[in-house]
Amino acid sequence: MKFRQVFLQSLKLPSKKATFSLNRVSMDVTIIYMFILLILVSIPAFIDRIVENSGVSAELNIAFLIIYFFIFYYLPMAVFVYIGVSIIAYIGLRLAKLMERKLQFPLLWKMSVFIATIPFIIYTIIALLLPVDDMLLGAFFVYILIMLFFIISIYPKRRK
């Protein structure tokens, strides 16, 4: 499935058709999709670095600024987002067991990435216009958990 199709299906979550369509997406496509989303999310911070007239970034030319931004902003952010997605997927795994659904961690991890599409887009738009408060990130975390609950409930219960 191409990234455009993955993106469009991610916007339709938690519909049953979108969920099962994204279920068939391979993990490598999911990881690359997540990197693309993270590039989108980091655009406002990169613009801030470019227009900033003080500090280390003011003295660097554009090539070094890109390298500096990648090393000290994008990579740490990617690590924290992947840890966050893993925590959400683990919570989803526990929730699936409580709901008596037979789901595996990799599937819940992929679904967590796809659910994060809308919050990442909203974050990017808001960050371009206004300073972002940490409460917004907490709201996105809750949104992702609620959507994951709806996706888990789409799958049938275990047979006994």
Side-chain angles (χ1 to χ4, degrees):
M1 190 178 283
K2 296 180 182 176
F3 294 109
R4 181 176 176 272
Q5 292 170 326
V6 170
F7 174 74
L8 293 174
Q9 291 295 325
S10 295
L11 295 177
K12 296 176 185 175
L13 286 174
S15 79
K16 194 174 197 176
K17 184 178 178 184
T19 299
F20 290 125
S21 173
L22 290 170
N23 188 13
R24 291 186 287 278
V25 173
S26 66
M27 189 60 87
D28 58 337
V29 171
T30 304
I31 291 172
I32 293 170
Y33 178 76
M34 187 67 168
F35 275 120
I36 293 169
L37 281 178
L38 291 177
I39 289 170
L40 177 74
V41 168
S42 64
I43 289 173
F46 185 66
I47 291 171
D48 287 344
R49 291 282 175 227
I50 290 174
V51 298
E52 187 178 290
N53 292 330
S54 63
V56 176
S57 61
E59 301 169 9
L60 298 175
N61 69 24
I62 193 71
F64 287 117
L65 182 62
I66 292 170
I67 294 169
Y68 176 82
F69 184 80
F70 180 77
I71 292 172
F72 293 108
Y73 183 81
Y74 183 78
L75 288 178
M77 179 187 65
V79 169
F80 287 123
V81 168
Y82 278 90
I83 291 170
V85 167
S86 297
I87 290 169
I88 290 170
Y90 182 75
I91 292 170
L93 187 64
R94 296 290 149 221
L95 188 60
K97 287 190 192 262
L98 285 173
M99 295 172 65
E100 298 178 357
R101 303 305 202 269
K102 188 177 180 182
L103 298 173
Q104 300 295 321
F105 182 81
L107 173 72
L108 294 169
W109 197 91
K110 284 194 311 187
M111 287 300 136
S112 299
V113 168
F114 298 135
I115 293 169
T117 300
I118 292 175
F120 282 176
I121 292 170
I122 292 171
Y123 175 85
T124 303
I125 293 169
I126 292 173
L128 283 170
L129 303 174
L130 307 166
V132 178
D133 188 17
D134 291 340
M135 291 297 291
L136 185 64
L137 300 176
F140 289 156
F141 184 80
V142 171
Y143 169 82
I144 292 170
L145 285 176
I146 290 170
M147 295 299 281
L148 193 59
F149 170 79
F150 287 130
I151 286 175
I152 291 170
S153 66
I154 288 173
Y155 289 92
K157 288 190 175 192
R158 291 182 191 192
R159 294 182 185 181
K160 293 183 180 187

